[in-house]
Amino acid sequence: MLVLAFDTATAAITVALYEWTPGEGAVSRGAAEAVDRRRHTEVLTPSIARVMADAGAAPEDLSAIVAGVGPGPYTGLRVGLVTARAMGEALGVPVHGVCTLDVIAWASGRDEPFAVATDARRKEVYWARYASRGARIGEPSVGPPSEVLDGAPQGLPVVGEGAALYPEVFGESGHEPLLPTATALAELAIARLGGLKVPVLLPPEPLYLRRPDAKEPGPRKKVTRA
């Protein structure tokens, strides 16, 4: 079965195509990586088309689609999830979601406790702690960088772009991988589909950890004439 994976929850616009045979393993058929904070819409669809074409695959060959669900900024995150849901509906194939922090954790290959932090802007990070690359502890959170280490063991490693942005809190180095890759996303999803006890697959819905800035307007004020 062919599994298409992509993530737009961060500055990375990343796409991967894997061929998976249950019981026999998965093989990469192609991938595309770009980093652009402002052009998720323009980059994602051509990247998908290029990866599929290079692999000699048609959309109708897909068996499943996997998308990163964040947490991440609203605009970029929405691009990937809307694309995934639209493709899944058009092709009649299942669409799965994976927490983007879990993708970075999986790509780290770490087997000891650590944390993942990504850029949440406003001098905050999205973060989660892990017992190992495939075992998250608790739910993802958003807050100031210092919150990641509150109550944590001394010297806890922190990976991800959020860690690199705040060296005064997390140190100058050792934060790779900084961004998610669709290769790791596909491998993590396939591991779960294959029955491994890794973070669960989610519905393809955005994982927002903040209330939106925009608010519904309140009732109009009454105007009294003098």
PDB file of all heavy atoms in Angstrom, residues 49-65:
ATOM      1  N   ALA A  49       2.778  16.733  -5.963  1.00  0.00           N
ATOM      2  CA  ALA A  49       2.725  16.297  -7.356  1.00  0.00           C
ATOM      3  C   ALA A  49       4.085  15.806  -7.833  1.00  0.00           C
ATOM      4  O   ALA A  49       4.179  14.792  -8.549  1.00  0.00           O
ATOM      5  CB  ALA A  49       2.236  17.453  -8.228  1.00  0.00           C
ATOM      6  N   ARG A  50       5.161  16.487  -7.429  1.00  0.00           N
ATOM      7  CA  ARG A  50       6.501  16.106  -7.871  1.00  0.00           C
ATOM      8  C   ARG A  50       6.924  14.768  -7.268  1.00  0.00           C
ATOM      9  O   ARG A  50       7.470  13.901  -7.967  1.00  0.00           O
ATOM     10  CB  ARG A  50       7.500  17.198  -7.496  1.00  0.00           C
ATOM     11  CG  ARG A  50       8.912  16.923  -8.002  1.00  0.00           C
ATOM     12  CD  ARG A  50       9.809  18.123  -7.822  1.00  0.00           C
ATOM     13  NE  ARG A  50      10.061  18.448  -6.426  1.00  0.00           N
ATOM     14  CZ  ARG A  50       9.513  19.481  -5.780  1.00  0.00           C
ATOM     15  NH1 ARG A  50       8.658  20.281  -6.399  1.00  0.00           N
ATOM     16  NH2 ARG A  50       9.805  19.711  -4.517  1.00  0.00           N
ATOM     17  N   VAL A  51       6.656  14.580  -5.980  1.00  0.00           N
ATOM     18  CA  VAL A  51       7.023  13.319  -5.329  1.00  0.00           C
ATOM     19  C   VAL A  51       6.259  12.153  -5.953  1.00  0.00           C
ATOM     20  O   VAL A  51       6.831  11.089  -6.223  1.00  0.00           O
ATOM     21  CB  VAL A  51       6.759  13.405  -3.811  1.00  0.00           C
ATOM     22  CG1 VAL A  51       6.862  12.023  -3.159  1.00  0.00           C
ATOM     23  CG2 VAL A  51       7.745  14.359  -3.149  1.00  0.00           C
ATOM     24  N   MET A  52       4.979  12.358  -6.205  1.00  0.00           N
ATOM     25  CA  MET A  52       4.175  11.296  -6.817  1.00  0.00           C
ATOM     26  C   MET A  52       4.669  10.983  -8.226  1.00  0.00           C
ATOM     27  O   MET A  52       4.810   9.807  -8.603  1.00  0.00           O
ATOM     28  CB  MET A  52       2.709  11.720  -6.853  1.00  0.00           C
ATOM     29  CG  MET A  52       2.055  11.908  -5.486  1.00  0.00           C
ATOM     30  SD  MET A  52       1.677  10.359  -4.653  1.00  0.00           S
ATOM     31  CE  MET A  52       0.355   9.750  -5.689  1.00  0.00           C
ATOM     32  N   ALA A  53       4.941  12.027  -9.013  1.00  0.00           N
ATOM     33  CA  ALA A  53       5.385  11.822 -10.389  1.00  0.00           C
ATOM     34  C   ALA A  53       6.739  11.126 -10.443  1.00  0.00           C
ATOM     35  O   ALA A  53       6.953  10.215 -11.248  1.00  0.00           O
ATOM     36  CB  ALA A  53       5.441  13.160 -11.114  1.00  0.00           C
ATOM     37  N   ASP A  54       7.655  11.541  -9.569  1.00  0.00           N
ATOM     38  CA  ASP A  54       8.991  10.925  -9.559  1.00  0.00           C
ATOM     39  C   ASP A  54       8.916   9.447  -9.195  1.00  0.00           C
ATOM     40  O   ASP A  54       9.764   8.648  -9.621  1.00  0.00           O
ATOM     41  CB  ASP A  54       9.898  11.655  -8.570  1.00  0.00           C
ATOM     42  CG  ASP A  54      10.290  13.043  -9.053  1.00  0.00           C
ATOM     43  OD1 ASP A  54      10.058  13.350 -10.239  1.00  0.00           O
ATOM     44  OD2 ASP A  54      10.834  13.828  -8.242  1.00  0.00           O
ATOM     45  N   ALA A  55       7.910   9.079  -8.405  1.00  0.00           N
ATOM     46  CA  ALA A  55       7.742   7.679  -8.010  1.00  0.00           C
ATOM     47  C   ALA A  55       6.926   6.886  -9.028  1.00  0.00           C
ATOM     48  O   ALA A  55       6.756   5.676  -8.871  1.00  0.00           O
ATOM     49  CB  ALA A  55       7.064   7.593  -6.648  1.00  0.00           C
ATOM     50  N   GLY A  56       6.431   7.578 -10.068  1.00  0.00           N
ATOM     51  CA  GLY A  56       5.593   6.904 -11.058  1.00  0.00           C
ATOM     52  C   GLY A  56       4.255   6.478 -10.497  1.00  0.00           C
ATOM     53  O   GLY A  56       3.667   5.487 -10.942  1.00  0.00           O
ATOM     54  N   ALA A  57       3.757   7.235  -9.506  1.00  0.00           N
ATOM     55  CA  ALA A  57       2.505   6.890  -8.844  1.00  0.00           C
ATOM     56  C   ALA A  57       1.432   7.924  -9.170  1.00  0.00           C
ATOM     57  O   ALA A  57       1.721   9.112  -9.344  1.00  0.00           O
ATOM     58  CB  ALA A  57       2.701   6.807  -7.336  1.00  0.00           C
ATOM     59  N   ALA A  58       0.188   7.471  -9.241  1.00  0.00           N
ATOM     60  CA  ALA A  58      -0.960   8.337  -9.459  1.00  0.00           C
ATOM     61  C   ALA A  58      -1.722   8.477  -8.145  1.00  0.00           C
ATOM     62  O   ALA A  58      -1.634   7.601  -7.271  1.00  0.00           O
ATOM     63  CB  ALA A  58      -1.871   7.751 -10.533  1.00  0.00           C
ATOM     64  N   PRO A  59      -2.472   9.555  -7.972  1.00  0.00           N
ATOM     65  CA  PRO A  59      -3.254   9.702  -6.738  1.00  0.00           C
ATOM     66  C   PRO A  59      -4.134   8.488  -6.440  1.00  0.00           C
ATOM     67  O   PRO A  59      -4.314   8.111  -5.280  1.00  0.00           O
ATOM     68  CB  PRO A  59      -4.089  10.951  -7.007  1.00  0.00           C
ATOM     69  CG  PRO A  59      -3.255  11.755  -7.962  1.00  0.00           C
ATOM     70  CD  PRO A  59      -2.594  10.740  -8.841  1.00  0.00           C
ATOM     71  N   GLU A  60      -4.655   7.866  -7.488  1.00  0.00           N
ATOM     72  CA  GLU A  60      -5.529   6.715  -7.299  1.00  0.00           C
ATOM     73  C   GLU A  60      -4.800   5.504  -6.720  1.00  0.00           C
ATOM     74  O   GLU A  60      -5.431   4.547  -6.259  1.00  0.00           O
ATOM     75  CB  GLU A  60      -6.177   6.323  -8.630  1.00  0.00           C
ATOM     76  CG  GLU A  60      -7.125   7.361  -9.203  1.00  0.00           C
ATOM     77  CD  GLU A  60      -6.396   8.552  -9.839  1.00  0.00           C
ATOM     78  OE1 GLU A  60      -5.170   8.427 -10.111  1.00  0.00           O
ATOM     79  OE2 GLU A  60      -7.034   9.606 -10.041  1.00  0.00           O
ATOM     80  N   ASP A  61      -3.473   5.534  -6.721  1.00  0.00           N
ATOM     81  CA  ASP A  61      -2.695   4.428  -6.159  1.00  0.00           C
ATOM     82  C   ASP A  61      -2.566   4.506  -4.645  1.00  0.00           C
ATOM     83  O   ASP A  61      -2.151   3.533  -4.004  1.00  0.00           O
ATOM     84  CB  ASP A  61      -1.281   4.412  -6.760  1.00  0.00           C
ATOM     85  CG  ASP A  61      -1.282   4.198  -8.259  1.00  0.00           C
ATOM     86  OD1 ASP A  61      -2.187   3.495  -8.752  1.00  0.00           O
ATOM     87  OD2 ASP A  61      -0.386   4.731  -8.944  1.00  0.00           O
ATOM     88  N   LEU A  62      -2.911   5.649  -4.058  1.00  0.00           N
ATOM     89  CA  LEU A  62      -2.734   5.840  -2.627  1.00  0.00           C
ATOM     90  C   LEU A  62      -3.700   4.979  -1.818  1.00  0.00           C
ATOM     91  O   LEU A  62      -4.865   4.822  -2.181  1.00  0.00           O
ATOM     92  CB  LEU A  62      -2.929   7.304  -2.247  1.00  0.00           C
ATOM     93  CG  LEU A  62      -1.892   8.300  -2.790  1.00  0.00           C
ATOM     94  CD1 LEU A  62      -2.287   9.726  -2.437  1.00  0.00           C
ATOM     95  CD2 LEU A  62      -0.505   7.971  -2.245  1.00  0.00           C
ATOM     96  N   SER A  63      -3.183   4.465  -0.693  1.00  0.00           N
ATOM     97  CA  SER A  63      -4.010   3.678   0.225  1.00  0.00           C
ATOM     98  C   SER A  63      -4.330   4.437   1.501  1.00  0.00           C
ATOM     99  O   SER A  63      -5.298   4.113   2.200  1.00  0.00           O
ATOM    100  CB  SER A  63      -3.295   2.377   0.591  1.00  0.00           C
ATOM    101  OG  SER A  63      -3.001   1.613  -0.555  1.00  0.00           O
ATOM    102  N   ALA A  64      -3.514   5.431   1.845  1.00  0.00           N
ATOM    103  CA  ALA A  64      -3.736   6.221   3.056  1.00  0.00           C
ATOM    104  C   ALA A  64      -2.962   7.523   2.958  1.00  0.00           C
ATOM    105  O   ALA A  64      -1.955   7.617   2.250  1.00  0.00           O
ATOM    106  CB  ALA A  64      -3.298   5.451   4.303  1.00  0.00           C
ATOM    107  N   ILE A  65      -3.447   8.522   3.683  1.00  0.00           N
ATOM    108  CA  ILE A  65      -2.798   9.825   3.769  1.00  0.00           C
ATOM    109  C   ILE A  65      -2.594  10.141   5.241  1.00  0.00           C
ATOM    110  O   ILE A  65      -3.473   9.894   6.072  1.00  0.00           O
ATOM    111  CB  ILE A  65      -3.655  10.915   3.090  1.00  0.00           C
ATOM    112  CG1 ILE A  65      -3.800  10.621   1.593  1.00  0.00           C
ATOM    113  CG2 ILE A  65      -3.051  12.301   3.307  1.00  0.00           C
ATOM    114  CD1 ILE A  65      -4.817  11.502   0.893  1.00  0.00           C
TER     115      ILE A  65
END
